[in-house]
Amino acid sequence: MPCTGRERRDTMRLVFIGPPGVGKGTQSERLVRHLGIIHLSTGEMLRIACAEQTELGKQADRYMDSGELVPDELMLNLVTDRLMAEDCKRGYLLDGFPRTLGQAETLDQILGSRGTPLDLVLELTADADELIRRLAARGRKDDQPEIVRRRLEEYERQTAPLSEYYSRRNLLRTVDGQGTPDEVFQRVKAVIDKDRVAL
Ligand code: AP5
Ligand code: MG
């Protein structure tokens, strides 16, 4: 078949970043269905490890309960092993990872050495008041006001600098996360579909 330069990519390696409660999980579910790729939420992976009381779960528990980030070393072991699995070959959406510059740099090195770099990083945004309202209404164990405050601080201090890191690499696309989940998904889809043919 002649190459038109406008073919759709069948593989996508994506990252969702954004503060607690912005809708990463909600939009990830929709997006992986749309693209037919794997959803990897580090928060979910850690909650399962905690529930199963694995070695990782026992170590991660206290950080999660206080709203702090789990140390990079534990996170990198968890994620880099998972990315080697067969089901990731067609692409994946990382939700909540990387969350520190150290995680981002190591991820880049590992993916670069395998010749499978990230395609795009989607950043969802919303006002702090909206985030607090959403999390209060959900009521997960770490959604109590004091812990949410800590999670938001951790985001500002450790994760927000990733916007600039990925922006400099021309990978960042910022999407307004306010409105209904369907409205937000239309925006996410528009960004992805544009890059899917352009990449
Ligand atoms: P994690 O589980 O990833 O939590 P988080 O990123 O802090 O935030 P959430 O997952 O709660 O929010 P979300 O953006 O997914 O929003 P959601 O779609 O759920 O991490 C938990 C902990 O694990 C961390 O604190 C840390 O300790 C540890 N951890 C995880 N990854 C780590 C890493 N890489 N490094 C170190 N530590 C790590 O939506 C939230 C609510 O809002 C829901 O009720 C939803 O129904 C509702 N909602 C969603 N969209 C909308 C909308 N458009 N309008 C109204 N309501 C909406
Ligand atoms: Mg989530």
Side-chain angles (χ1 to χ4, degrees), residues 1 6-14 31-38 86-93 117 119 192-193 195-199:
M1 198 197 287
R6 299 281 298 167
E7 287 83 7
R8 289 189 152 232
R9 290 172 60 103
D10 289 330
T11 307
M12 278 202 116
R13 290 176 291 275
L14 305 174
L31 190 53
V32 297
R33 264 202 308 273
H34 177 61
L35 296 173
I37 58 177
I38 297 285
E86 188 63 28
D87 62 359
C88 288
K89 291 223 165 88
R90 289 208 51 226
Y92 48 79
L93 171 53
D119 292 310
I192 284 288
D193 287 344
D195 274 284
R196 229 168 141 202
V197 290
L199 277 167

Side-chain angles (χ1 to χ4, degrees), residues 122-135:
L122 296 160
E123 175 188 49
L124 279 178
T125 59
D127 293 346
D129 287 351
E130 172 72 9
L131 301 174
I132 290 164
R133 246 195 318 274
R134 287 184 190 176
L135 294 175

Side-chain angles (χ1 to χ4, degrees), residues 21 23-26 39 41 43-44 47 95-96 99 138 140 151:
K24 300 181 296 295
T26 305
H39 177 199
S41 157
E44 287 303 320
R47 277 185 287 280
D95 159 6
R99 259 187 227 228
R138 182 176 62 183
R140 204 168 70 189
R151 287 164 63 197

Side-chain angles (χ1 to χ4, degrees), residues 67-84:
E68 285 173 38
L69 294 188
V70 174
D72 281 359
E73 194 191 324
L74 294 178
M75 295 311 302
L76 284 160
N77 285 340
L78 176 72
V79 175
T80 52
D81 280 358
R82 182 65 186 85
L83 293 180
M84 296 285 275

Side-chain angles (χ1 to χ4, degrees), residues 146-187:
E146 267 308 289
I147 302 174
V148 166
R149 203 167 51 78
R150 189 68 199 266
R151 287 164 63 197
L152 288 167
E153 283 168 9
E154 287 281 86
Y155 183 81
E156 280 310 314
R157 192 167 64 87
Q158 305 216 54
T159 312
L162 294 187
S163 306
E164 199 197 324
Y165 176 87
Y166 286 121
S167 176
R168 267 192 269 118
R169 287 157 180 75
N170 196 27
L171 290 174
L172 189 77
R173 306 290 181 273
T174 301
V175 176
D176 177 3
Q178 300 198 123
T180 67
D182 285 343
E183 284 166 353
V184 176
F185 185 59
Q186 289 312 312
R187 292 179 206 133

